[in-house]
Amino acid sequence: MSFFSNATFRFLKELKENNDRDWFEENRSRYEADLKEPAQKLILAVGERLGGVSPELRADPRGNGGSLFRIYRDVRFSKDKSPYKTSVGIQFRHSRGKDAHAPGLYLHIEPGESFFGFGAWRPAPPALAAIRTHMVYDPAGWKKATGSAAFKKAFELHGESLKRIPRGFDPEHPLADDLRRKDFIGGAPMTQAEIKSDDLPDQFIKLSMKARPLMQYLCDALDVPF
């Protein structure tokens, strides 16, 4: 079964060059056929395999409010008023999470910038404090989850960090640099050929299995099952 194709990347490239409502409406049928429908097919295919990673992760193929991110940008607080995203975002969220900030798995599709991602991006203040506190009391677990040879071979940690260690945490703590993190996410780049491959669901699951140690650690920190 095929999912994404050259047409997917061609549409995204042209959308970046013509990011306005008139062009999008003229090409809406291409969006449906080359992006939305393949994404929904992928979500269903990954969902059939996701239980092997964790029974707590959800694959929701709905067009709105599910695993597929909206194509429309939120421009309310942005200087860039371009109305559309020029990428495809798909997230498989934790059952306890209601938004993109919950621990989950992620696939980003964009010409030249596609990647697999996982973890907790911009967790809310209570969750952020819980993760940092867990790191203080279980530094060995963090090092095991993120410092193994297998993890480092497959992934890199990403995200933004504070300039200083947050108030209430020891600046001399062995994990001081990691305690400054605002995001607890890892990722691996993916080529256009990998995204277009018929075995994309299997590739995604293989990467997800390698991501399990960090996902487990974050869920332990947040006191939710994984």
Side-chain angles (χ1 to χ4, degrees):
M1 177 189 293
S2 60
F3 299 93
F4 302 102
S5 65
N6 286 332
T8 304
F9 290 92
R10 190 180 308 118
F11 179 88
L12 291 171
K13 180 177 182 294
E14 292 179 22
L15 177 59
K16 189 173 184 177
E17 297 167 349
N18 304 275
N19 200 327
D20 63 73
R21 290 179 175 82
D22 288 343
W23 186 91
F24 186 84
E25 289 304 322
E26 291 174 2
N27 292 273
R28 179 178 285 276
S29 61
R30 292 174 61 197
Y31 164 71
E32 297 283 343
D34 299 332
L35 275 76
K36 186 175 180 179
E37 291 174 10
Q40 290 174 310
K41 286 167 59 179
L42 177 70
I43 291 165
L44 287 170
V46 169
E48 293 174 355
R49 303 160 169 81
L50 204 53
V53 180
S54 167
E56 298 297 330
L57 296 172
R58 298 290 179 261
D60 186 342
R62 287 180 298 163
N64 292 304
S67 296
L68 177 62
F69 285 1
R70 285 164 47 90
I71 190 69
Y72 307 101
R73 294 182 63 247
D74 183 351
V75 300
R76 291 174 298 171
F77 308 107
S78 174
K79 292 181 180 180
D80 179 3
K81 299 302 180 182
S82 302
Y84 304 104
K85 299 172 185 174
T86 55
S87 61
V88 178
I90 300 171
Q91 189 190 38
F92 300 90
R93 298 172 189 154
H94 193 281
S95 62
R96 305 290 180 91
K98 297 181 180 180
D99 56 33
H101 306 279
L105 307 172
Y106 178 71
L107 181 65
H108 183 91
I109 301 172
E110 184 175 2
E113 298 185 40
S114 299
F115 64 87
F116 166 83
F118 62 97
W121 177 77
R122 298 295 155 80
L128 183 58
I131 294 170
R132 287 171 172 161
T133 299
H134 191 64
M135 291 169 68
V136 168
Y137 289 101
D138 185 18
W142 172 262
K143 291 178 181 178
K144 183 178 179 180
T146 63
S148 70
F151 185 94
K152 289 184 174 181
K153 183 178 180 181
F155 306 119
E156 289 186 7
L157 292 175
H158 298 285
E160 294 187 10
S161 295
L162 300 169
K163 292 183 178 179
R164 297 184 178 85
I165 197 163
R167 183 178 299 178
F169 293 90
D170 181 6
E172 301 301 321
H173 191 278
L175 296 182
D177 287 344
D178 289 312
L179 289 168
R180 292 190 294 108
R181 293 182 180 277
K182 295 193 288 184
D183 306 305
F184 300 88
I185 53 176
M190 298 189 72
T191 65
Q192 188 163 317
E194 288 173 326
I195 296 296
K196 293 189 301 177
S197 173
D198 290 352
D199 71 348
L200 179 57
D202 292 330
Q203 293 183 60
F204 188 90
I205 293 298
K206 286 178 182 178
L207 288 167
S208 300
M209 292 299 292
K210 294 178 182 178
R212 288 189 80 256
L214 180 54
M215 290 289 291
Q216 180 72 67
Y217 188 87
L218 294 172
C219 288
D220 289 345
L222 298 172
D223 196 25
V224 294
F226 185 73

